[in-house]
Amino acid sequence: MKRYMINLRVYSIAIFFSMLLILLSIRIIFLTSSSNLKVLAANQFGYTEITSDINYKLIDKNGNEIMNYKPIYYFVVDKKNFKQYNQEENMEELLTIKYILKSYNPDYDITKIFEEAGDKKYFEIDKSTYDKLNSITGIPGTYCYEKDILDRSNDYSIESMLTNPIYEDNGVVKQKSGLEGLIYDLTKGNEYDSIRFTPDEYGYYKETGSGDLSKNSNIQLTLDETLQKEIHDYLQGFNSDNKARGISAIVMDSASGKILSMTQDDYLLENRNIGYGTFGGFFPGSIFKIAVEAAAFDKNVVSRDEIFTCLGRYEDYVSNHGSLNIAEALEVSCNDTFVQIGHRIGSDLKNYLYKLHLNEKVLDMNDEVGGEFLFNDPNLDEGDITLLSFGQNIRITPIEAAAMANTIVNNGIYVKPSIIEGVVNSEGTLTKKWKTTSERVFTDTSSKLVKKDMEKVLDNDTLKGYKIDGYTMGAKTGTSERMDQGIKLYDGWLVGYITVNEKTYTICVFSEDLAKNENVGGVVCGPVFNKICNMLIAMNNE
């Protein structure tokens, strides 16, 4: 019995210590788990900040990003963590932050953030302030980040317009249709670039991740960013010495219709290449004569060697050009001769306008305008034919003019110009290729005859100095007049082409609001054409 009682006591003591050990183990496990859970909870709580205001990249034909960005900097206070974890020992850092913020903006007061609604307070700051605040590491509940905003100071550049999918109509913001709206639809499912900030168990924030952009769709343009910038910079400097309101240029690959450059001297003015803000664009003047000549050859109403007599009608500066054939008439831009040719073509001349799509948008942009026909339709009267023969009763945009000239350069085939190459993935692989359309307008023979005559135009006194030896190139200039609020204004044109290393480029230069007798179309647009041709030569020889 005594032995039994001893054993019972031993067993009881053993059980007691075993239970104590189990309880201690549970306590240790609980404490450890509690600490881990606190850290886990802290990691699950945090903020994601969007670091770009556009959710796709706009890249050029070579894969270079086109758009310019300007950074905006923020200092952020998470009010809950800031209040909970900042104690007296942080007072020096807190005073430093207060001083830095007030030095940047006297209205910034970190001590008053709790008087405002919301869980967080954002302070927009500059780069210097950002660097100072970012260097302070001893303040829980705060962090800094940088956001890239598209630089829209050049609102009317073609790139900026393509990336702006909204407009305001009587105070109501609406989504654009056309190309801008299509780009938006193709990219609206993309992720925005972002940074994830997560606090630790003591309220200190750190970056713990960024946005996943691997599945994003990006937009590739046909533009060559280097060429685009070179031409834009040149136009800026060139027009500072001239009296035109503005000057623009378009360069396209003749065979494919892909636009390599589409720019102007001043991006704060409406984009004149697409006729933004105009009623159908501008009168093309004498550049339209290349279409009249091609139509005349097509209709077989004129022969190559036929001699016309200019009687001086419809001429501004000469009494008459005398006797000349059609090539010579194009070279000296004889209005009288082309009126005679236009009347031989008759009402059929109108059909070529439609075949050249001169009353339609080219790029299908929301802000683009189509050309306007100012004649009686369906039948042209004699007055309509007279004015149309030298480009005075239609309005077209520079992109329409480029497409018209390109039809001649491309041996009679109209290729609808395009500025979108397609959609590319995050690795730069083309996943959706843009399609364009083409159709024959003039015969191959007719177009080649006109191209040959455009080569001779460069032998004219006005343009002789702009021809480049060793290269096949041609051009046609034009000057048109119009009335604007009772004031007579003049616009200058040049459409042309150059072949470099067996690749042909079509060029359109347009200058708006010229002073008559000082800057006629050829004098202003000729040097620009020559400069662009030299750029294309250099580009192909790199």
Side-chain angles (χ1 to χ4, degrees):
M1 186 68 180
K2 188 177 180 180
R3 177 180 288 275
Y4 171 77
M5 292 299 294
I6 292 171
N7 288 337
L8 184 61
R9 287 177 182 173
V10 170
Y11 290 143
S12 298
I13 292 169
I15 290 170
F16 171 78
F17 280 107
S18 297
M19 291 296 294
L20 188 60
L21 242 124
I22 290 170
L23 289 171
L24 285 171
S25 299
I26 291 173
R27 178 64 176 165
I28 291 169
I29 291 170
F30 175 77
L31 290 172
T32 305
S33 298
S34 176
S35 177
N36 289 336
L37 284 172
K38 282 177 71 178
V39 174
L40 181 62
N43 285 333
Q44 289 177 336
F45 175 77
Y47 295 106
T48 298
E49 302 292 355
I50 302 298
T51 57
S52 176
D53 69 339
I54 187 170
N55 63 341
Y56 64 92
K57 291 181 180 180
L58 195 69
I59 60 177
D60 78 343
K61 66 188 288 287
N62 300 312
N64 302 311
E65 193 162 356
I66 291 177
M67 296 303 296
N68 294 318
Y69 298 87
K70 57 181 181 181
I72 295 180
Y73 302 94
Y74 292 99
F75 175 68
V76 186
V77 180
D78 167 19
K79 296 179 182 179
K80 182 179 178 181
N81 277 338
F82 185 80
K83 186 175 183 179
Q84 181 176 351
Y85 292 106
N86 281 300
Q87 306 298 330
E88 289 185 4
E89 56 266 26
N90 302 114
M91 189 57 65
E92 185 178 343
E93 287 87 349
L94 289 171
L95 290 173
T96 301
I97 287 179
K98 181 179 179 180
Y99 173 77
I100 292 172
L101 286 173
K102 275 194 167 291
S103 295
Y104 172 70
N105 187 333
D107 294 331
Y108 284 176
D109 191 343
I110 198 169
T111 63
K112 295 182 179 181
I113 61 174
F114 299 101
E115 298 173 7
E116 304 174 15
D119 296 330
K120 291 185 293 181
K121 172 65 178 178
Y122 288 82
F123 294 94
E124 185 175 331
I125 53 180
D126 63 6
K127 179 65 164 63
S128 175
T129 306
Y130 170 85
D131 290 337
K132 292 173 185 176
L133 291 172
N134 219 17
S135 65
I136 301 174
T137 59
I139 301 297
T142 66
Y143 58 88
C144 297
Y145 75 98
E146 175 185 337
K147 184 173 184 177
D148 290 328
I149 305 295
L150 274 180
D151 183 0
R152 295 196 181 277
S153 58
N154 296 327
D155 280 351
Y156 291 109
S157 71
I158 196 69
E159 304 94 320
S160 184
M161 295 181 76
L162 285 172
T163 56
N164 185 9
I166 60 173
Y167 70 101
E168 190 173 306
D169 181 17
N170 293 324
V172 179
V173 175
K174 296 182 179 180
Q175 182 182 331
K176 292 180 180 178
S177 58
L179 195 56
E180 303 97 314
L182 183 57
I183 290 174
Y184 172 78
D185 287 336
L186 287 169
T187 58
K188 64 184 178 183
N190 283 356
E191 292 290 331
Y192 282 87
D193 203 0
S194 61
I195 298 177
R196 178 75 178 170
F197 291 94
T198 306
D200 62 16
E201 59 182 305
Y202 303 107
Y204 290 100
Y205 276 94
K206 62 180 179 179
E207 293 183 24
T208 55
S210 58
D212 181 9
L213 309 182
S214 62
K215 296 181 180 179
N216 277 6
S217 295
N218 300 309
I219 303 299
Q220 185 171 33
L221 302 184
T222 60
L223 296 177
D224 184 308
E225 184 204 13
T226 302
L227 183 65
Q228 177 88 335
K229 187 176 187 309
E230 284 182 3
I231 295 176
H232 168 64
D233 291 347
Y234 170 73
L235 293 180
Q236 276 191 310
F238 178 82
N239 200 35
S240 65
D241 298 326
N242 290 275
K243 297 181 180 180
R245 176 175 180 263
I247 188 164
S248 63
I250 297 170
V251 181
M252 56 193 289
D253 178 89
S254 301
S256 66
K258 294 179 180 180
I259 298 170
L260 302 177
S261 177
M262 187 175 187
T263 185
Q264 60 190 49
D265 63 310
D266 188 352
Y267 286 142
L268 296 180
L269 295 177
E270 297 89 345
N271 192 307
R272 61 186 63 84
N273 280 319
I274 59 172
Y276 183 86
T278 69
F279 297 101
F282 309 89
F283 297 115
S286 291
I287 63 168
F288 186 67
K289 289 172 182 172
I290 61 174
V292 176
E293 182 177 352
F297 285 136
D298 256 13
K299 303 297 292 184
N300 200 28
V301 297
V302 63
S303 68
R304 189 82 173 137
D305 300 321
E306 182 178 357
I307 300 299
F308 294 85
T309 300
C310 170
L311 301 177
R313 300 168 299 180
Y314 323 111
E315 306 297 340
D316 285 337
Y317 302 111
V318 293
S319 57
N320 68 76
H321 290 105
S323 299
L324 64 179
N325 61 29
I326 193 168
E328 293 166 337
L330 189 73
E331 181 181 343
V332 299
S333 203
C334 179
N335 290 341
D336 194 316
T337 299
F338 271 89
V339 169
Q340 296 176 52
I341 295 169
H343 279 282
R344 290 188 187 183
I345 301 169
S347 287
D348 282 346
L349 191 55
K350 167 196 57 158
N351 298 328
Y352 287 97
L353 300 177
Y354 289 108
K355 289 180 180 180
L356 289 165
H357 304 278
L358 294 180
N359 64 332
E360 302 174 17
K361 292 183 178 184
V362 176
L363 300 178
D364 300 320
M365 291 181 65
N366 184 85
D367 295 321
E368 181 183 6
V369 301
E372 184 181 14
F373 299 161
L374 306 175
F375 51 75
N376 297 317
D377 205 1
N379 296 314
L380 297 177
D381 60 29
E382 288 192 5
D384 291 328
I385 294 173
T386 295
L387 291 172
L388 186 58
S389 298
F390 53 98
Q392 285 296 329
N393 62 344
I394 59 171
R395 288 193 180 101
I396 63 175
T397 63
I399 185 61
E400 287 176 315
M404 175 189 71
N406 191 62
T407 304
I408 304 292
V409 176
N410 205 33
N411 297 327
I413 298 176
Y414 176 91
V415 180
K416 187 175 183 179
S418 59
I419 198 167
I420 304 289
E421 184 70 42
V423 178
V424 296
N425 60 22
S426 59
E427 297 178 350
T429 302
L430 195 64
T431 59
K432 180 182 177 67
K433 188 172 179 61
W434 216 255
K435 293 181 180 179
T436 189
T437 58
S438 63
E439 59 186 294
R440 180 165 288 285
V441 177
F442 305 113
T443 66
D444 182 83
T445 301
S446 298
S447 301
K448 287 179 177 177
L449 289 172
V450 178
K451 283 169 65 178
K452 207 71 179 169
D453 291 344
M454 289 174 71
E455 290 180 32
K456 295 176 182 177
V457 170
L458 287 174
D459 293 327
N460 184 272
D461 289 341
T462 304
L463 294 176
K464 187 174 291 185
Y466 305 128
K467 188 174 183 178
I468 303 172
D469 291 338
Y471 294 92
T472 301
M473 53 196 300
K476 181 69 190 86
T477 62
T479 303
S480 61
E481 62 182 61
R482 57 189 169 85
M483 298 297 293
D484 188 347
Q485 298 180 356
I487 301 173
K488 185 178 284 190
L489 300 173
Y490 300 87
D491 301 324
W493 295 87
L494 185 149
V495 291
Y497 68 93
I498 183 171
T499 300
V500 184
N501 295 345
E502 300 183 353
K503 183 179 276 289
T504 302
Y505 302 93
T506 299
I507 299 164
C508 175
V509 183
F510 174 72
S511 53
E512 185 182 0
D513 292 3
L514 298 164
K516 192 64 171 176
N517 295 327
E518 294 181 10
N519 292 311
V520 296
V523 173
V524 172
C525 300
V528 177
F529 172 70
N530 174 268
K531 182 67 175 181
I532 291 174
C533 287
N534 277 297
M535 289 179 184
L536 292 170
I537 292 169
M539 183 180 76
N540 278 273
N541 290 331
E542 288 179 350

